[in-house]
Amino acid sequence: MKLLTFIRQGTPAIGVKTERGVLDVATAAAAAGREAPSSVMEAIAQGASAIAALADLAAAAPADSSAWLREDELEFGPCVTEPRKIVCVGLNYRKHAEETKASIPEYPILFNKFHNSLAAHGQEIVIPQTTDRLDYEAELAIVMGRKAKSVPREQALDHVFGYACANDLSARDLQLRTTQWMLGKIGDGFCPLGPYVVTADEAGDPNALAIRTFVNGEQRQNSNTSDMIFRCDEIVSYISRHLTLEPGDIILTGTPEGVVLGYPKEKRVYLKPGDVVTIEIERLGSLTNRFAAEEA
């Protein structure tokens, strides 16, 4: 199942993407006199029972119901709206580590983003005046569905609700100013996420998904999640040994080769106002954002 957040009269609402269109869950539930999750966060917390209820609701909604919406007319919100944690893994694709001339890490390299960095599919992202080296990073996002503390690797993916496309936007000049990367990663809107969170059963093997980036229609990244150094089950297990993961937490799993930083210095052209970046991941959809200049 593909779940999404859309904005109705300024308020986030939950939708279900289907072949018939996007189901407005609240409207469909009210018409049918049924209980249903009121947000993506509720659906994640309720897990399998919520998915079953949403599937029944979509199947029962009449074709002429006002609950069916056109996706191209929606204003999206981040597909996960209130994660308590956003944990990121750096240098997790072998070819990306090689292109940046970095050593292959022995352990996952972890850093974090915050809630202010969340952005939605279709949202305009402002390039801060503090950077002139903003880079894209296509990433597979893991969305946790169950509390996880010290889970073994073979059980780790049982705690995952689903997956989403993400763009780990990185201000390289700020990121590399010190040995700590955080400053270059935490700008407002620096974590576009969506358009959907796709449940684990529909996404399939998270380490067998094609992943690509396009800038103004030009392909820049073209890889597969199979190139990860630390696979998704290993990442979840490793992080859970050091902190408790909770439903709705997001883990960004690293980016493949093809980022601007990986080009020779004379060929590096960083993101600028007017650029449009699309992240595509097999089975998960396409995440697109346009960039704008920060007003003085």
Side-chain angles (χ1 to χ4, degrees), residues 99 101 259-270:
E99 75 172 347
K101 298 177 173 57
V259 298
V260 177
L261 185 64
Y263 283 69
K265 287 185 177 181
E266 66 275 11
K267 294 185 178 181
R268 293 176 187 171
V269 179
Y270 288 95

Side-chain angles (χ1 to χ4, degrees), residues 276-288:
V276 177
V277 176
T278 296
I279 308 298
E280 290 185 355
I281 302 181
E282 183 180 2
R283 302 185 186 177
L284 305 186
S286 299
L287 169 69
T288 297

Side-chain angles (χ1 to χ4, degrees), residues 232-287:
C232 292
D233 54 358
E234 188 174 3
I235 291 169
V236 172
S237 177
Y238 179 81
I239 294 173
S240 79
R241 295 205 302 271
H242 301 282
L243 56 80
T244 301
L245 291 166
E246 300 167 292
D249 283 351
I250 295 167
I251 302 172
L252 302 190
T253 56
T255 197
E257 77 280 9
V259 298
V260 177
L261 185 64
Y263 283 69
K265 287 185 177 181
E266 66 275 11
K267 294 185 178 181
R268 293 176 187 171
V269 179
Y270 288 95
L271 296 176
K272 60 186 183 300
D275 284 347
V276 177
V277 176
T278 296
I279 308 298
E280 290 185 355
I281 302 181
E282 183 180 2
R283 302 185 186 177
L284 305 186
S286 299
L287 169 69

Side-chain angles (χ1 to χ4, degrees), residues 119-125 167 169 189 192-193 275-279 287-291:
H121 169 64
Q123 180 178 332
E124 186 175 79
I125 307 297
N167 189 351
L169 291 167
L193 186 72
D275 284 347
V276 177
V277 176
T278 296
I279 308 298
L287 169 69
T288 297
N289 297 95
R290 180 181 294 275
F291 290 79

Side-chain angles (χ1 to χ4, degrees), residues 12-288:
I14 181 174
V16 179
K17 177 181 170 61
T18 76
E19 293 181 355
R20 299 166 67 184
V22 172
L23 183 73
D24 177 345
V25 171
T27 299
R34 299 188 183 190
E35 295 291 328
S38 62
S39 68
V40 169
M41 299 306 296
E42 278 192 16
I44 292 170
Q46 295 171 13
S49 63
I51 297 305
L54 292 171
D56 289 344
L57 195 63
D64 60 352
S65 169
S66 61
W68 291 110
L69 307 175
R70 287 175 53 106
E71 183 173 347
D72 61 1
E73 296 178 350
L74 297 180
E75 177 187 355
F76 282 80
C79 63
V80 180
T81 54
E82 297 293 337
R84 296 185 68 177
K85 294 181 283 295
I86 305 173
V87 184
C88 310
V89 185
L91 294 175
N92 193 36
Y93 281 71
R94 190 168 299 275
K95 291 179 182 177
H96 173 55
E98 292 170 351
E99 75 172 347
T100 57
K101 298 177 173 57
S103 300
I104 302 299
E106 184 179 355
Y107 300 98
I109 298 171
L110 303 182
F111 60 94
N112 61 300
K113 289 178 180 277
F114 301 106
H115 190 274
N116 69 293
S117 66
L118 285 177
H121 169 64
Q123 180 178 332
E124 186 175 79
I125 307 297
V126 173
I127 301 175
Q129 293 182 359
T130 52
T131 181
D132 57 9
R133 297 183 183 180
L134 187 63
D135 207 346
Y136 51 82
E137 292 192 10
E139 306 216 5
L140 172 70
I142 298 172
V143 180
M144 298 302 299
R146 292 168 50 197
K147 184 176 180 179
K149 175 61 177 174
S150 299
V151 296
R153 180 174 178 176
E154 59 269 21
Q155 297 175 14
L157 296 188
D158 296 338
H159 293 72
V160 171
F161 179 83
Y163 303 89
C165 301
N167 189 351
D168 175 19
L169 291 167
S170 304
R172 299 301 189 188
D173 40 0
L174 304 180
Q175 177 187 352
L176 302 176
R177 179 179 288 177
T178 69
T179 58
Q180 300 296 316
W181 295 352
M182 191 183 74
L183 186 62
K185 300 285 190 172
I186 58 173
D188 295 338
F190 275 24
C191 187
L193 186 72
Y196 327 110
V197 54
V198 181
T199 52
D201 60 324
E202 185 167 329
D205 182 356
N207 285 107
L209 300 174
I211 180 169
R212 300 191 295 174
T213 296
F214 296 87
V215 178
N216 302 325
E218 176 191 355
Q219 184 173 283
R220 298 287 185 87
Q221 293 182 283
N222 183 18
S223 185
N224 193 286
T225 57
S226 61
D227 191 45
M228 286 185 189
I229 297 166
F230 304 102
R231 297 171 68 85
C232 292
D233 54 358
E234 188 174 3
I235 291 169
V236 172
S237 177
Y238 179 81
I239 294 173
S240 79
R241 295 205 302 271
H242 301 282
L243 56 80
T244 301
L245 291 166
E246 300 167 292
D249 283 351
I250 295 167
I251 302 172
L252 302 190
T253 56
T255 197
E257 77 280 9
V259 298
V260 177
L261 185 64
Y263 283 69
K265 287 185 177 181
E266 66 275 11
K267 294 185 178 181
R268 293 176 187 171
V269 179
Y270 288 95
L271 296 176
K272 60 186 183 300
D275 284 347
V276 177
V277 176
T278 296
I279 308 298
E280 290 185 355
I281 302 181
E282 183 180 2
R283 302 185 186 177
L284 305 186
S286 299
L287 169 69
T288 297

